[in-house]
Amino acid sequence: MTAILEMRGITKTFPGVNALENVNLRVESGEIHALVGENGAGKSTLMKVLSGVYPHGSYSGEIWFQGEERRFTGIADSEKAGIVIIHQELALVPLLSIAENIFLGNEQAKYGVIDWSAVTLRTRDLLRMVGLSESPATLITDIGVGKQQLVEIAKALSKEVKLLILDEPTASLNESDSDALLNLLLEFKKRGISSILISHKLNEISKVADSITVLRDGCTVETLDCRSEPVSEDRIIRGMVGRPLADRYPKRDPKIGEMLFEVKDWNVHHQIHADRLQIKNVSMNVRRGEIVGIAGLMGAGRTEFAMSVFGRSYGRRITGKAFLNGKEIDVSTIRRAVDSGLAYVTEDRKHYGLVLNDTIMHNISLANLGGISRGTVLDDMEELSVANTYRRRLNIRSSSVLQQVVNLSGGNQQKVVLSKWLFSKPEVLILDEPTRGIDVGAKYEIYTIINQLADEGKGVIMISSEMPELLGVCDRIYVMNEGCFVAELPAADASQEKIMRAIMRGREAPADEQAPREKIA
């Protein structure tokens, strides 16, 4: 087959770090090529070299595209050649329309004036290609994340893309939206468009990839051909981590104690539209040493519920009561929630969990400055000692605790967020998508930490869009749909089918007549 892309001997260094060393990548015309590796393996760095984010001259090696050597000096150069990258963090402007976002920076103009008629017609054609029926005038803020991802792809198509690079495109999507996006890649393949897919969801890679290149520690390990014979997830993992991962979830012998935390009759109105009831009469509990999961489709209200409980950081006109050890607690502000024994690890670590341009040390101590103070004065040596303790305990891979968090891999950033909240000494830890966007090796480490917390007698509430993860980690699972808890299942008897059945039953009932939560054995 003919190669559309060859990257030969790519080496990229940062001060004190060899990010890529003699990496080779070959992508055939019209194929879906997966790029996998642990966090920090060099996947995103390699794609930034390819797309011109790291311009020619800042790395060594050669890039050949469509038979010509290319020396991109910026993203505009690579896009002009037909290489378009879609990052995990979507680059859309929420308060602009779909049409305005698609042609932002690529305006369709005549004599210096935007031709809105041409823009609208072209946008409709592009949306049809990606399977969207929305009006071009619809604001980005009014559509879900799954559709926003498709708008990003439509934006790429508007630039006559020949090679589409997708960095964790399904990390924020539910199962149905993920399937729709993967099917779209298969459709593009039929049209001769090549794709590079970066993903930690190995089942998705096995489903669509023609070839898989594995990176480890900045080096090319191997390229697997999926067309000659199927490649198992275990085979991919062995290449990524250098060893077999016998069990995806660490073993645990639960020791569940007395009732620790309860939420009763919890109601939350929408943050902006205060007349809209978003969380509807939710009650739940977690015992000491118990890991309780919350399952549901995107938009079910899981994050809104968690944030509203954690210091009313989401929502308006909130009613209901929270109890710890049988006594009502005040969770009316984040500070009071933390002082009462709650901690919340957000699903969006980069925006809400971390100060990216600050050090690991300062991030870890941020939620509990009193723990590193003598009176009203911060003790720098105590802060350093605490940070090093958590760095060792959670195996945060870094040059030191003085390294900026922005330079860490996603898995290590997540460990810093966990360290911050563990240092606040919580009784109940709420984890919202704790393994989103991190590799299987780092996931295993996070699961081990969660198990250790439960073994210490803490209560853990875990929200995840990955049902196998909930089934593999949790002791009990609540199922949420449209702001209500519609089922409660012991994890030992739960299955993906039972969870989906409970969601579908909840969707069939009118919003004001939903049946009370059923317990499924």
Side-chain angles (χ1 to χ4, degrees):
M1 293 183 68
T2 305
I4 189 173
L5 171 71
E6 285 190 82
M7 301 182 76
R8 304 172 182 170
I10 303 296
T11 298
K12 171 68 178 172
T13 60
F14 298 101
V17 179
N18 216 20
L20 298 171
E21 186 171 357
N22 197 34
V23 171
N24 298 300
L25 176 67
R26 177 187 172 95
V27 178
E28 307 289 348
S29 296
E31 80 162 344
I32 300 174
H33 195 110
L35 190 60
V36 302
E38 294 188 275
N39 289 104
K43 306 183 296 296
S44 295
T45 302
L46 185 65
M47 292 302 98
K48 287 177 179 177
V49 167
L50 173 58
S51 60
V53 173
Y54 297 137
H56 182 264
S58 66
Y59 61 89
S60 61
E62 298 177 354
I63 297 175
W64 289 76
F65 185 69
Q66 293 189 306
E68 297 179 26
E69 185 178 2
R70 306 292 181 130
R71 299 181 175 183
F72 301 130
T73 59
I75 290 179
D77 279 357
S78 63
E79 288 187 347
K80 188 176 180 180
I83 300 172
V84 179
I85 184 169
I86 298 176
H87 296 280
Q88 184 176 347
E89 291 84 16
L90 301 180
L92 299 173
V93 182
L95 295 180
L96 291 184
S97 70
I98 292 174
E100 289 168 328
N101 271 277
I102 286 176
F103 290 101
L104 189 62
N106 183 29
E107 287 78 9
Q108 310 297 292
K110 286 183 179 179
Y111 311 110
V113 178
I114 293 176
D115 184 345
W116 288 109
S117 177
V119 166
T120 301
L121 288 173
R122 180 65 176 141
T123 300
R124 284 203 180 102
D125 289 341
L126 292 167
L127 294 181
R128 197 177 301 116
M129 290 174 69
V130 299
L132 286 179
S133 58
E134 270 68 21
S135 164
T138 302
L139 297 182
I140 291 295
T141 191
D142 292 332
I143 62 176
V145 177
K147 291 182 178 181
Q148 289 180 23
Q149 189 72 263
L150 295 177
V151 170
E152 278 277 25
I153 294 175
K155 185 176 179 179
L157 294 175
S158 74
K159 300 170 183 175
E160 299 184 5
V161 61
K162 299 180 178 71
L163 175 63
L164 182 62
I165 306 166
L166 300 106
D167 191 353
E168 295 289 348
T170 64
S172 302
L173 304 186
N174 61 35
E175 198 167 333
S176 59
D177 285 341
S178 296
D179 285 340
L181 190 146
L182 295 174
N183 288 332
L184 188 59
L185 291 187
L186 293 171
E187 186 62 34
F188 289 165
K189 176 183 170 181
K190 293 177 183 176
R191 300 178 194 171
I193 298 175
S194 304
S195 301
I196 296 176
L197 175 63
I198 301 174
S199 179
H200 292 305
K201 297 183 178 180
L202 302 185
N203 61 319
E204 296 179 352
I205 285 174
S206 300
K207 179 178 178 180
V208 300
D210 299 303
S211 304
I212 303 170
T213 293
V214 182
L215 296 185
R216 191 194 315 146
D217 298 328
C219 301
T220 310
V221 175
E222 58 186 341
T223 295
L224 306 170
D225 186 352
C226 305
R227 287 165 291 206
S228 58
E229 59 179 337
V231 177
S232 68
E233 292 183 32
D234 289 340
R235 175 67 184 84
I236 300 170
I237 291 169
R238 190 162 69 249
M240 288 171 57
V241 303
R243 65 187 187 281
L245 203 59
D247 294 304
R248 203 73 62 87
Y249 305 101
K251 301 295 184 186
R252 172 169 158 262
D253 181 20
K255 296 179 177 61
I256 298 173
E258 70 277 6
M259 189 66 66
L260 175 62
F261 179 65
E262 293 179 272
V263 175
K264 293 183 178 180
D265 305 321
W266 201 259
N267 293 277
V268 180
H269 287 77
H270 194 278
Q271 183 88 351
I272 299 172
H273 307 289
D275 58 336
R276 187 193 306 170
L277 186 61
Q278 197 162 8
I279 306 300
K280 305 159 189 172
N281 204 38
V282 164
S283 296
M284 69 163 301
N285 61 69
V286 57
R287 296 177 176 275
R288 285 198 176 275
E290 186 179 28
I291 303 172
V292 174
I294 303 180
L297 301 178
M298 187 172 294
R302 297 167 301 165
T303 293
E304 291 81 359
F305 169 65
M307 291 180 67
S308 66
V309 170
F310 185 66
R312 303 192 177 188
S313 47
Y314 176 87
R316 300 172 65 182
R317 294 167 55 191
I318 298 172
T319 61
K321 295 182 178 181
F323 300 85
L324 188 72
N325 294 319
K327 296 180 180 178
E328 186 174 353
I329 56 174
D330 184 355
V331 293
S332 58
T333 67
I334 291 176
R335 183 72 265 164
R336 288 171 180 171
V338 172
D339 290 344
S340 295
L342 304 188
Y344 171 64
V345 176
T346 173
E347 66 174 337
D348 189 344
R349 57 180 172 263
K350 290 187 176 180
H351 284 92
Y352 302 118
L354 296 165
V355 181
L356 290 173
N357 290 323
D358 209 340
T359 63
I360 294 170
M361 179 175 73
H362 288 164
N363 271 275
I364 288 175
S365 61
L366 198 57
N368 185 16
L369 293 177
I372 55 161
S373 301
R374 296 180 182 275
T376 58
V377 179
L378 296 179
D379 186 334
D380 293 340
M381 295 309 296
E382 180 64 18
E383 185 177 26
L384 182 64
S385 174
V386 166
N388 278 316
T389 296
Y390 281 98
R391 181 186 176 219
R392 287 191 299 270
R393 180 180 170 188
L394 274 70
N395 192 27
I396 300 171
R397 296 180 181 90
S398 62
S399 56
S400 76
V401 295
L402 300 180
Q403 184 175 344
Q404 285 194 332
V405 172
V406 70
N407 295 322
L408 299 178
S409 67
N412 286 302
Q413 287 180 350
Q414 189 71 348
K415 291 177 187 176
V416 174
V417 179
L418 275 169
S419 298
K420 176 181 77 172
W421 288 113
L422 293 181
F423 181 52
S424 73
K425 312 297 182 186
E427 289 294 313
V428 179
L429 186 63
I430 305 171
L431 304 172
D432 196 349
E433 303 286 1
T435 65
R436 173 172 287 171
I438 62 178
D439 63 79
V440 288
K443 282 184 178 182
Y444 190 91
E445 292 180 327
I446 298 294
Y447 299 146
T448 301
I449 294 165
I450 292 171
N451 286 353
Q452 289 171 354
L453 292 171
D455 290 343
E456 292 169 8
K458 309 291 187 185
V460 180
I461 299 171
M462 181 174 175
I463 298 168
S464 176
S465 297
E466 296 187 34
M467 290 191 217
E469 181 172 75
L470 292 175
L471 296 169
V473 174
C474 298
D475 302 306
R476 186 161 48 95
I477 299 171
Y478 290 100
V479 182
M480 195 170 196
N481 182 65
E482 295 182 356
C484 301
F485 279 7
V486 294
E488 180 183 347
L489 306 87
D493 298 321
S495 66
Q496 294 190 54
E497 292 76 16
K498 286 184 178 180
I499 292 172
M500 285 306 301
R501 203 177 300 128
I503 290 172
M504 291 304 107
R505 276 199 296 266
R507 299 188 95 177
E508 289 166 3
D512 58 349
E513 296 179 13
Q514 288 193 346
R517 180 173 76 239
E518 59 178 314
K519 292 191 177 184
I520 302 175

